[in-house]
Amino acid sequence: MTVQCSTCGEQWERDPALEVDCPACGADVGSQCRRPSGHPCAVHAGRDKRALREVAGYEQCPGADPEQSDTAVDRSQTDITQCSKR
Ligand SMILES: [Zn+2]
Ligand SMILES: [Zn+2]
């Protein structure tokens, strides 16, 4: 899944947050975050912050507004519905 930051336009072939497992929902490396119901959801903020610390080359978006977004990059353009088809 390609992810693009809608704030600065930076693109990753694979969401850097998926390179670590999620402390919030327990999703494994490479797996989309899920709600308790099992439906895919947006990356949890804790996972994103972990990725910021642990994934080389992944940094807080210079244009992201921390007041408006829990995550380092704005993934609001990401089509998470495509993940549910896997
Ligand atoms: Zn950005
Ligand atoms: Zn999660």
Side-chain angles (χ1 to χ4, degrees):
M1 174 178 69
T2 303
V3 66
Q4 182 171 25
C5 176
S6 58
T7 303
C8 69
E10 184 162 2
Q11 228 175 336
W12 297 270
E13 282 195 21
R14 183 164 119 144
D15 192 330
L18 299 191
E19 306 296 341
V20 298
D21 54 48
C22 182
C25 68
D28 292 327
V29 171
S31 296
Q32 187 78 20
C33 278
R34 293 187 183 276
R35 300 183 197 284
S37 63
H39 289 93
C41 66
V43 169
H44 289 112
R47 187 183 201 179
D48 195 55
K49 290 191 171 67
R50 184 175 187 179
L52 278 176
R53 291 195 307 269
E54 299 182 12
V55 178
Y58 182 47
E59 294 174 354
Q60 176 92 35
C61 176
D65 183 353
E67 300 281 315
Q68 286 186 19
S69 176
D70 286 343
T71 52
V73 301
D74 184 354
R75 292 178 174 81
S76 57
Q77 302 296 311
T78 304
D79 179 13
I80 62 169
T81 57
Q82 76 187 118
C83 296
S84 64
K85 290 174 188 159
R86 278 196 242 149

